[in-house]
Amino acid sequence: MLLSPDARADTLVIREAIVTQEAPDGRTSRPVLRNVTLPDDWSSERPEFGGVLTYAVSFDLAPNGTRVPDGLLALYIERVCTNVEVSLNGHVIGRGGQMSEPVTRNCYRPQLFTLPAALLDPSGRNALNLRVVGFPSGEVAARQRAAGLSELYVGPEAELRPRYERQLFWNVTVLQVGSATLTMVGLFMLGLGWVRRTQPAYLYLGGLLIGWSFISARVWATDLPMTHWASEVLISSTVAPVVAFAILFLQRYGGLRYRWVDLFLWGQCLLVPLTIAIVGREHLFTLMNLWFMVFAIEVAVATIDYFVKARRSGASDWQPIAVAMGLGVLAALVEVAVQHDWLGLPNRHLVHFAMPVLLLAVGLRVIRDFAQALQAAESTRDDLERRVQERAGEIERSYAHLAEMRIEQVAEAERKRIAGDLHDDLGAKLLTIVHTSHDERIATLAREALEEMRLSVRGLTGKPVRIADALADWRAETVSRLGQAAVQVEWVSANETDERNLSARAYVQTTRILREAVSNIIKHSGANACTIRCVIDDTDFNLVIQDNGKGIPMELDGRLDRGHGMASMKRRAKQLAGQCLVESGPGFGTLIRLTLPL
């Protein structure tokens, strides 16, 4: 029977054929069925038959005097399982591969055969014979690999080739690309799991991706170096480890572990091939459909368990994984419905497209989570390194401070020892000279040396002095010395009640600077009046000494620190982190400004 699906097209659709059964020795027997309707599904028409059937059809190139199609003609077969050999008018024009064991498996591949013009009869009927080799439906694990033949399309090769390539792309090429991608991602996950052995979820995900790639190889791998039965057993036995990897990945990724589940899953991997060996090849389809239902239920339960535990734990990244695995379970249930013939056999099988996409999405999600965790770990490490450096700096500073304190303690002890020696030894001797000497000049020098020694001892002991007490001492001494030299003194101080302290060193050095300045006024200035002002603010101690004498002579080459102890005064101020400034000129007196930090 010839039909044209589109009046404008030259393609003929053949939906009827005469079937003959080929004897085991290759001879053709009497027809067993006539006028078989295509597509012909062996699982429903002859479920226990395995071998070769020949489909005989005929067609006219120009039925009812219509125009003969132009160009090269071709025969397009959307599905033939397991393999086919095509003859045109008694001449073999092509085959899909090996017709005997190991038979080439083309159940998922469309076939396109060009019809040589030299073999065609343009004015009469042309005969096509299709030898189809297949296996009993009970000996296959999936309905898609059950034997059968689809409708036949005869028409211009230019019209049929795009259809063939489109079907080949969606049925084979897409799955090849998906398998290659899953394999690469799976190998990456295995490597990641090997490096991070404390996180076995990566290993299980890698095994899941590579295992599914191996299972999907049955779609595009046509010539396997093994018999049909061996390949079915191998593929069927591989499903159990893949399911185990999926469930264990969900559990480990969700932080779950049930030891009895681990033992059950790995025991199930041994149980599947054992049950296949027990039931035999005639009941493989029934057995594997039972197993597929069990596997779908197991993955569904594991997904629900992951979903519940993730929500309870408050995790924020569980939704994509749960959704992807849930969609995978849904696709598996649809496939179970197809296997039980509750749904028709589709041209493109959902599970073949959905599972690679979903598994790839899961793999990429896990990689993204790993990258984020790695980034967080790097950030934490950098922060830890920064903190360690800060702590190390603090320890070094503390150690340096302790070392300084230790040195200061040793120096303080040494100063106290020296001060004690000076006071007990030198002080006693000077005091003896003061009281026993009959020479007034010697007694005066001894008294001055004794005062200087006492001042040095005070500086060595390190005892701080109240500013108010220091001002009182300086004022008394200064007024006394200048008064003896007939120099009128004006002492101005606005902070005589200041309760802050001067360090012992600052007190001693300031005392010596003040004494040096007073000595210069008495010995060199020729002044008869002197003003001393003391100003103390929040940060500095300021002392200004001004006389009305003759000033510093120009013979010192303009360097005011070359005479009268000026260099010594400036050096002492510098040692206290302060400064001593001198302003003077012939006939204008001398002004000394001392500034020390408190």
Side-chain angles (χ1 to χ4, degrees):
M1 180 180 293
L2 301 178
L3 297 176
S4 175
D6 191 334
R8 296 170 299 174
D10 295 323
T11 300
L12 302 175
V13 182
I14 303 175
R15 293 191 171 91
E16 288 186 358
I18 298 176
V19 178
T20 57
Q21 179 177 333
E22 189 172 289
D25 58 1
R27 295 177 299 175
T28 301
S29 64
R30 295 176 57 85
V32 294
L33 289 175
R34 294 181 179 272
N35 297 327
V36 175
T37 301
L38 301 179
D40 182 28
D41 185 5
W42 291 18
S43 61
S44 58
E45 299 297 333
R46 54 193 75 81
E48 297 180 359
F49 176 75
V52 178
L53 289 183
T54 299
Y55 292 83
V57 299
S58 61
F59 64 92
D60 290 335
L61 290 179
N64 302 322
T66 58
R67 179 180 60 86
V68 176
D70 298 328
L72 185 64
L73 298 180
L75 168 67
Y76 171 65
I77 309 173
E78 193 167 87
R79 177 180 181 272
V80 59
C81 189
T82 297
N83 197 17
V84 65
E85 177 185 271
V86 179
S87 299
L88 174 62
N89 294 328
H91 299 276
V92 177
I93 61 173
R95 61 174 60 92
Q98 182 72 26
M99 294 291 291
S100 58
E101 287 285 12
V103 178
T104 300
R105 295 162 180 82
N106 287 317
C107 296
Y108 301 92
R109 287 178 175 268
Q111 300 293 320
L112 184 67
F113 300 94
T114 58
L115 303 179
L119 299 179
L120 290 170
D121 183 0
S123 60
R125 298 185 68 81
N126 293 273
L128 278 174
N129 289 329
L130 288 80
R131 296 180 64 243
V132 177
V133 58
F135 299 92
S137 59
E139 297 182 10
V140 295
R143 186 179 168 196
Q144 291 89 336
R145 294 193 297 280
L149 179 66
S150 68
E151 299 168 333
L152 307 178
Y153 297 84
V154 177
E157 196 265 353
E159 292 183 9
L160 295 177
R161 180 163 292 278
R163 185 171 183 175
Y164 161 78
E165 292 178 348
R166 183 168 56 252
Q167 186 76 3
L168 182 67
F169 174 79
W170 288 110
N171 275 15
V172 178
T173 306
V174 169
L175 297 183
Q176 288 178 321
V177 173
S179 296
T181 305
L182 288 182
T183 300
M184 290 188 294
V185 177
L187 290 175
F188 174 79
M189 298 307 301
L190 289 178
L192 189 60
W194 178 258
V195 173
R196 295 178 174 268
R197 296 181 182 86
T198 57
Q199 297 175 320
Y202 298 131
L203 285 174
Y204 292 133
L205 180 57
L208 170 60
L209 298 179
I210 294 178
W212 184 264
S213 298
F214 178 78
I215 292 176
S216 62
R218 65 186 178 185
V219 175
W220 49 268
T222 57
D223 293 293
L224 300 177
M226 60 184 66
T227 63
H228 162 78
W229 174 245
S231 65
E232 288 294 325
V233 172
L234 177 62
I235 296 297
S236 300
S237 301
T238 306
V239 178
V242 171
V243 171
F245 288 141
I247 295 174
L248 294 176
F249 161 71
L250 279 174
Q251 291 185 350
R252 299 301 186 272
Y253 195 72
L256 307 173
R257 182 171 184 178
Y258 308 105
R259 185 172 181 82
W260 65 270
V261 173
D262 296 0
L263 296 175
F264 173 78
L265 291 174
W266 297 126
Q268 184 174 259
C269 295
L270 299 176
L271 188 60
V272 170
L274 180 61
T275 55
I276 293 176
I278 292 174
V279 302
R281 60 193 304 165
E282 293 82 5
H283 303 288
L284 176 64
F285 179 80
T286 302
L287 175 66
M288 291 312 301
N289 271 274
L290 292 175
W291 274 118
F292 292 153
M293 292 185 66
V294 172
F295 295 152
I297 294 172
E298 290 175 353
V299 176
V301 171
T303 302
I304 294 173
D305 185 49
Y306 171 80
F307 171 82
V308 172
K309 296 297 174 55
R311 288 198 61 182
R312 289 180 178 175
S313 63
S316 60
D317 58 348
W318 57 268
Q319 293 94 339
I321 303 295
V323 170
M325 297 304 294
L327 292 176
V329 172
L330 180 61
L333 293 176
V334 172
E335 182 67 16
V336 170
V338 171
Q339 298 304 319
H340 285 81
D341 202 14
W342 301 333
L343 295 175
L345 195 64
N347 291 335
R348 300 182 182 95
H349 307 291
L350 177 63
V351 71
H352 292 164
F353 297 99
M355 292 306 296
V357 173
L358 295 174
L359 292 178
L360 182 61
V362 171
L364 295 179
R365 177 71 184 196
V366 172
I367 292 175
R368 198 206 70 167
D369 293 344
F370 171 76
Q372 291 180 344
L374 184 62
Q375 184 178 6
E378 291 289 339
S379 177
T380 303
R381 187 192 67 180
D382 294 341
D383 183 63
L384 181 61
E385 290 180 353
R386 179 181 58 81
R387 293 186 179 182
V388 169
Q389 291 177 354
E390 291 177 354
R391 297 297 181 270
E394 292 178 0
I395 292 173
E396 291 177 357
R397 289 191 293 271
S398 298
Y399 180 79
H401 180 65
L402 290 175
E404 292 177 357
M405 291 180 61
R406 179 60 180 169
I407 293 173
E408 183 63 26
Q409 290 174 354
V410 174
E412 181 68 18
E414 186 64 16
R415 283 195 298 267
K416 290 181 178 180
R417 185 189 66 78
I418 294 174
D421 292 344
L422 288 174
H423 182 273
D424 297 338
D425 189 6
L426 182 59
K429 292 179 180 179
L430 289 175
L431 187 61
T432 299
I433 293 174
V434 169
H435 291 292
T436 60
S437 176
H438 299 289
D439 189 332
E440 185 63 25
R441 182 174 177 273
I442 293 175
T444 300
L445 291 175
R447 189 178 293 109
E448 291 177 354
L450 182 59
E451 288 297 326
E452 187 65 27
M453 185 271 295
R454 287 174 177 172
L455 182 64
S456 298
V457 169
R458 191 169 188 175
L460 288 173
T461 57
K463 185 177 181 179
V465 181
R466 290 176 64 248
I467 292 178
D469 296 338
L471 290 175
D473 292 344
W474 294 334
R475 181 175 183 175
E477 180 181 340
T478 302
V479 170
S480 175
R481 290 185 63 193
L482 290 176
Q484 293 176 3
V487 177
Q488 184 179 357
V489 181
E490 181 184 3
W491 183 282
V492 181
S493 177
N495 304 85
E496 293 185 355
T497 59
D498 198 312
E499 296 296 327
R500 288 178 291 179
N501 294 328
L502 283 176
S503 66
R505 186 182 180 193
Y507 172 77
V508 171
Q509 298 292 11
T510 304
T511 301
R512 286 174 175 167
I513 292 172
L514 183 58
R515 285 178 178 177
E516 184 67 30
V518 170
S519 296
N520 288 338
I521 293 174
I522 294 173
K523 295 178 182 180
H524 305 291
S525 69
N528 58 13
C530 175
T531 301
I532 301 176
R533 292 187 300 274
C534 181
V535 179
I536 304 175
D537 55 27
D538 293 337
T539 59
D540 296 322
F541 171 81
N542 301 278
L543 186 65
V544 180
I545 307 169
Q546 185 176 9
D547 64 62
N548 62 350
K550 61 184 179 181
I552 299 176
M554 296 300 295
E555 294 84 48
L556 297 178
D557 298 330
R559 295 287 299 277
L560 298 181
D561 59 351
R562 289 196 177 188
H564 307 313
M566 295 298 178
S568 174
M569 295 165 65
K570 291 187 175 183
R571 184 178 65 255
R572 294 180 189 278
K574 187 176 182 180
Q575 290 175 354
L576 298 174
Q579 61 180 354
C580 182
L581 302 178
V582 181
E583 301 175 9
S584 181
F588 296 99
T590 302
L591 177 68
I592 299 175
R593 298 178 185 272
L594 174 64
T595 303
L596 300 176
L598 291 176

